[in-house]
Amino acid sequence: MLVSLDNKRKRLSFVGLRKYMNPTIYDVARLTGLSIATVSRAFSNPELVREKTRQRVFEAAGVLHYSPNAIAQAMALQRTNKIAFLICKEGATILDEFYAGICNGIMRATNRLDYELVISTAADWKSAAGTSKNKQVEGVILGGNARPDMISEFQSRKVSVVLVNNLIPGLGVPCVVSDEYGGVRQALEYLINQGHRNIAMLAGRFSPYILNERYRAFSEIVQAHGLPVDTCYIKLCDPTVEGAAEACRELLSREDRPTAIFSTNDVVAVGAMKAARRLGLRIPEDLAVTGLDDSSVCRMLEPELTSVHIDCCEMGELSVRIMKELLSGEKGVPQVTVVPTELQIRGSA
Amino acid sequence: MLVSLDNKRKRLSFVGLRKYMNPTIYDVARLTGLSIATVSRAFSNPELVREKTRQRVFEAAGVLHYSPNAIAQAMALQRTNKIAFLICKEGATILDEFYAGICNGIMRATNRLDYELVISTAADWKSAAGTSKNKQVEGVILGGNARPDMISEFQSRKVSVVLVNNLIPGLGVPCVVSDEYGGVRQALEYLINQGHRNIAMLAGRFSPYILNERYRAFSEIVQAHGLPVDTCYIKLCDPTVEGAAEACRELLSREDRPTAIFSTNDVVAVGAMKAARRLGLRIPEDLAVTGLDDSSVCRMLEPELTSVHIDCCEMGELSVRIMKELLSGEKGVPQVTVVPTELQIRGSA
DNA sequence: CTGAAAGCGCTAACAG
DNA sequence: CTGTTAGCGCTTTCAG
């Protein structure tokens, strides 16, 4: 307290004068009679300063409403603590419930781990990258079908990347995915246990990775249960209600009509239900339908949609946790993380 | 190009040495033989530098892949260009389709106007404010039912605020809302034109502002058309499918059962449809149902839901535009901005 | 355990 | 039109 105050200060700022500015470390230093170095340490390396001194600092900070300026920290440390989440699905935005769910998990985790988050679509990011100030991002989480050139561009700029809802082996990029295979199995085995033998797959055209995993799972599992794998029973469609409805109509017009439709997502399932109804088929009596994603619409339909729940939030949280490991330079970051799914049984199957 | 390079440089950084770092303004200065001040001007005040010089700068910047460091700019300018969007609805996250829509508009606009955006819920923001580094935000857009104490706290910290989907007069805070009154009128007049005389209102418990506007609009408009305003026909309910279904069941059990249900949002309308169906009523023959929000579920239902479209995206974009005016210190910022709605007629009414 | 001082990359007077 | 220079708020050696 009795420290000399007469040393020449090049800094003359008084918080009283700069009335609209936040207090700085200098203000705290002056109030406590300590040096700015000590104040700095008290905040970022508390163990380096004596208990009592630390107390003094925090007390002064309290009355001044001081808290470290993140910008200045970033400048000094050459670190921004900022990561980005880019939605790479063509045409999708934060309005896509699936990616919104992942985003929600990411927000939770970044909040907890004290990262800053910027959210964008891959397209917007690209268009902004050139013109606008660059985003000083240390890592990016790429959701969905990220293009390889985008990935390698980030890598070349030493920006860490992790993929979510996508899996590309051999690139050294950690991936977080849901258990696609297991999810398909849960739905199929449920249908089979219900006695279904003619199960068709209505597959929305999603990213290659997703489509491929679900297709492979479907064929293998159906086969494993001794059921015929008739490729006519596997139908691709646009992942829209009407696209699915049209494809399903064709499926249901066959002489040996399937008794169950395994849809690769909920929107597609909605289309299937519409098609069935238009043909006068009752659900689930004449046709069982399952969805995948367990989105909010499931409980709004009539009958409610049986669907495979994907834990988007967990996927988001995990990708941040993995990003953190990457950024801290840890060794042995898991290359593939898979989060389990769970079948939600409702009225449609 | 032949400028002397022998002036004493306190800065000796070579981008070649600092291999993992981004090029700085010094690198560009060295490569062009210009001073850092000129390089800086070329980027932020192009009109202050000769055409030819500017060219030289941009060319060098190109080969070096230089672009100004936003952190350093923020530090020098004492401005972060960062704004926040806080979802203030209790329990809601980015998964709420309505707020996701607003968020989408906000993202578009911030991207275009070169603002940085941080997204959070009011609750998360509060909990992070104390512990984590403060977010250096210049303005906040508050979505939904923002608590007055939160607003005034921002104001006291000289953080600009604009409200979206909420309207509080007398606070000097600009508000962006949808045309609640007009939206209700569109739905009601459509029902009345269809010949309905017994119209009930199924009102989800939303924020006071929204609830109040819709309630007022309903009573006034029904009255203006010479229909009786029986308060028994106005029913509050939880804004969930089951909450609405239960409330609607009561409504439909009256001896003078309404022939149309005006629901104050789509989820509530779904509940109404479920209730009707459980009672064996056909939609729209026995009961017409309208929704409000025009969310994605409308086209998934059977029959599809007639609903009042709210242009969330526009609301988001407008709030950013207004925030920009606020931040640039413009005079005469509009205090209330209302965006029009549009009735989407489908099968349910 | 604490202080002095040198940056981090950029902008904005102030001089030429 | 261009260059010099003093910060912006904080961290971090290097000395005490």
Side-chain angles (χ1 to χ4, degrees), chain A residues 204-238:
Chain A
R205 287 193 190 83
F206 303 132
S207 71
Y209 164 71
I210 296 293
L211 189 55
N212 189 54
E213 285 300 295
R214 294 182 186 169
Y215 175 80
R216 188 172 59 84
F218 181 83
S219 341
E220 289 185 15
I221 293 161
V222 162
Q223 224 156 357
H225 284 269
L227 304 181
V229 190
D230 187 340
T231 51
C232 303
Y233 269 30
I234 298 183
K235 201 144 191 85
L236 268 180
C237 67
D238 278 350

Side-chain angles (χ1 to χ4, degrees), chain A residues 35 37-38 41 49-50 53 75-76 78:
Chain A
S35 74
T38 301
R41 287 189 195 103
V49 359
R50 192 165 31 122
T53 315
M75 174 111 228
Q78 298 286 80

Side-chain angles (χ1 to χ4, degrees), chain B residues 11 19 52 60-61 77 92 121 126 128 152 160 165 174 212-214 219-220 238 247-248 283 290 305 311 319 324:
Chain B
R11 174 69 78 97
K19 52 183 356 177
K52 232 186 115 196
L77 290 172
T121 63
K126 268 229 156 97
S152 52
S160 302
N165 202 39
N212 190 52
E213 286 299 294
R214 294 181 185 169
S219 342
E220 289 185 16
D238 277 351
C248 189
I283 298 171
T290 64
L305 182 63
D311 195 346
S319 30
K324 183 195 167 80

Side-chain angles (χ1 to χ4, degrees), chain A residues 114-336:
Chain A
D114 209 28
Y115 280 110
E116 258 199 75
L117 178 66
V118 3
I119 301 163
S120 180
T121 63
D124 285 350
W125 185 268
K126 268 226 154 98
S127 73
T131 57
S132 96
K133 64 189 56 169
N134 93 44
K135 321 265 186 180
Q136 325 288 146
V137 150
E138 299 182 346
V140 294
I141 297 174
L142 268 20
N145 190 25
R147 292 180 38 190
D149 61 327
M150 175 171 238
I151 298 177
S152 52
E153 192 196 319
F154 281 122
Q155 289 180 315
S156 73
R157 287 173 33 208
K158 308 290 168 194
V159 175
S160 301
V161 2
V162 359
L163 267 31
V164 60
N165 202 39
N166 190 13
L167 179 58
I168 307 184
L171 233 52
V173 179
C175 304
V176 178
V177 292
S178 90
D179 182 5
E180 297 296 335
Y181 200 98
V184 174
R185 177 174 23 226
Q186 289 169 334
L188 287 181
E189 294 192 339
Y190 173 74
L191 290 172
I192 292 168
N193 282 340
Q194 299 283 304
H196 292 282
R197 290 296 170 266
N198 283 357
I199 305 175
M201 165 161 164
L202 198 51
R205 287 193 190 83
F206 303 132
S207 71
Y209 164 71
I210 296 293
L211 189 55
N212 189 54
E213 285 300 295
R214 294 182 186 169
Y215 175 80
R216 188 172 59 84
F218 181 83
S219 341
E220 289 185 15
I221 293 161
V222 162
Q223 224 156 357
H225 284 269
L227 304 181
V229 190
D230 187 340
T231 51
C232 303
Y233 269 30
I234 298 183
K235 201 144 191 85
L236 268 180
C237 67
D238 278 350
T240 62
V241 172
E242 280 312 319
E246 169 57 17
C248 189
R249 194 190 53 75
E250 295 177 25
L251 228 32
L252 296 177
S253 314
R254 297 166 50 94
E255 69 295 346
D256 55 341
R257 157 166 87 60
T259 62
I261 304 267
F262 164 73
S263 322
T264 59
N265 86 350
D266 291 339
V267 171
V268 166
V270 168
M273 288 172 76
K274 290 218 178 205
R277 212 159 267 136
R278 287 172 194 164
L279 261 39
L281 299 173
R282 291 163 308 161
I283 297 170
E285 295 82 355
D286 304 325
L287 184 74
V289 175
T290 64
L292 204 161
D293 276 356
D294 191 25
S295 56
S296 61
V297 75
C298 293
R299 269 150 320 194
M300 303 201 176
L301 298 170
E302 207 119 22
E304 301 193 351
L305 182 63
T306 292
S307 187
V308 178
H309 181 77
I310 295 186
D311 196 345
C312 297
C313 191
E314 177 70 5
M315 290 171 72
E317 299 206 28
L318 281 171
S319 23
V320 175
R321 213 167 310 162
I322 288 171
M323 174 61 75
K324 184 194 168 82
E325 295 180 15
L326 236 41
L327 292 178
S328 355
E330 288 183 27
K331 293 285 160 214
V333 177
Q335 287 297 295
V336 177

